[in-house]
Amino acid sequence: MRLAVFADIHANRQAFEACLDSARARGAERIICLGDIVGYGADPEWAVETVMNLVKDGAIAVIGNHDHAIGTSSETMNAEAQAAIEWTRGRLSAPQRRFLAELPLKREQDDRLYVHSEASHPAQWHYVRSSSDAARSIEATAAHVTFCGHIHKPALYSMSSAAKMTSFIPTSETPVQLLSGRRWLAVAGSVGQPRDGNPAAAFTMLDTATREITFCRVPYDVIAAADRIRANGLPTWLADRLLIGR
């Protein structure tokens, strides 16, 4: 089966539409959403409704910290992010808010684990910034491969049977075989808010038969997404950063 894994959509309709089109053109048979459907972007209603419909059709979705913040005031964020969350709360319908609140922190399927942040303490929203962070997550699960988001930068980590870690920044469109003798953590990058200096939307494909993972980048109408943010009175930095991928 070919899986398409999306993380950190952040209410960016233009980016998510482009990624969905690209994934389907690549033969995606199942959709995975790693959370942060909302936050930052200007189309939260559309983003949540789209994921809700995907889940009805068999997709898997987990909750992210921005999704969680919609229903609670306990999440602490910077001023721009908090402003977007407060604006988003007023845009979502009751069924949409309930959908976000009921999303699980993690999901397991076959030899794979899906989580927004990392596997050891998923409700604490730790970032995977290093090999030691990745090792903590890998050791917390028996899964052959864990998929996460949250950091907004694609990365791939692995642990040998002797607990030796390797890490690298994947090259887009270059498949990597997830060897069975190692355990893996794939950081999917961000659909709607890339922060690796590349403004193109990011997602990941996995072929479960060949165990090949491919990190994908998709150009989209960044100007339109930024204009939507400004038109809705959200902080201008949330629009400006889309243009530079930071």
Side-chain angles (χ1 to χ4, degrees), residues 27-212:
E29 297 165 272
R30 174 165 287 175
I31 302 296
I32 314 296
C33 177
L34 299 180
D36 276 5
I37 302 165
V38 300
Y40 300 133
D43 287 288
E45 312 100 304
W46 178 88
V48 176
E49 197 68 26
T50 297
V51 176
M52 289 171 70
N53 289 330
L54 290 169
V55 168
K56 288 178 185 176
D57 290 337
I60 290 173
V62 298
I63 195 169
N65 57 307
H66 286 252
D67 307 323
H68 184 252
I70 295 299
T72 179
S73 59
S74 62
E75 295 289 346
T76 56
M77 298 183 175
N78 62 47
E80 289 86 358
Q82 189 61 42
I85 288 297
E86 291 171 3
W87 176 83
T88 298
R89 285 192 189 116
R91 298 294 294 261
L92 298 179
S93 67
Q96 290 170 338
R97 293 195 301 272
R98 184 166 59 251
F99 172 78
L100 294 180
E102 292 176 352
L103 287 172
L105 279 166
K106 60 183 180 179
R107 280 284 303 274
E108 294 185 57
Q109 184 181 53
D110 300 328
D111 59 353
R112 301 176 300 277
L113 175 73
Y114 305 115
V115 65
H116 179 66
S117 56
E118 53 83 49
S120 67
H121 298 93
Q124 294 182 17
W125 314 118
H126 294 309
Y127 291 97
V128 176
R129 292 191 173 103
S130 65
S131 290
S132 59
D133 294 336
R136 182 181 64 242
S137 181
I138 291 171
E139 289 171 343
T141 174
H144 178 238
V145 56
T146 298
F147 285 91
C148 71
H150 198 39
I151 195 68
H152 294 223
K153 299 177 182 180
L156 187 61
Y157 300 88
S158 72
M159 176 184 284
S160 72
S161 57
K164 181 178 180 180
M165 293 294 298
T166 63
S167 66
F168 64 95
I169 305 301
T171 301
S172 299
E173 309 301 337
T174 301
V176 177
Q177 186 141 35
L178 302 181
L179 301 175
S180 58
R182 306 185 70 87
R183 294 168 63 210
W184 300 81
L185 175 67
V187 187
S190 174
V191 171
Q193 185 96 182
R195 293 184 187 164
D196 60 348
N198 181 353
F203 73 98
T204 303
M205 293 284 296
L206 176 70
D207 188 320
T208 63
T210 63
R211 294 196 172 187
E212 284 186 339

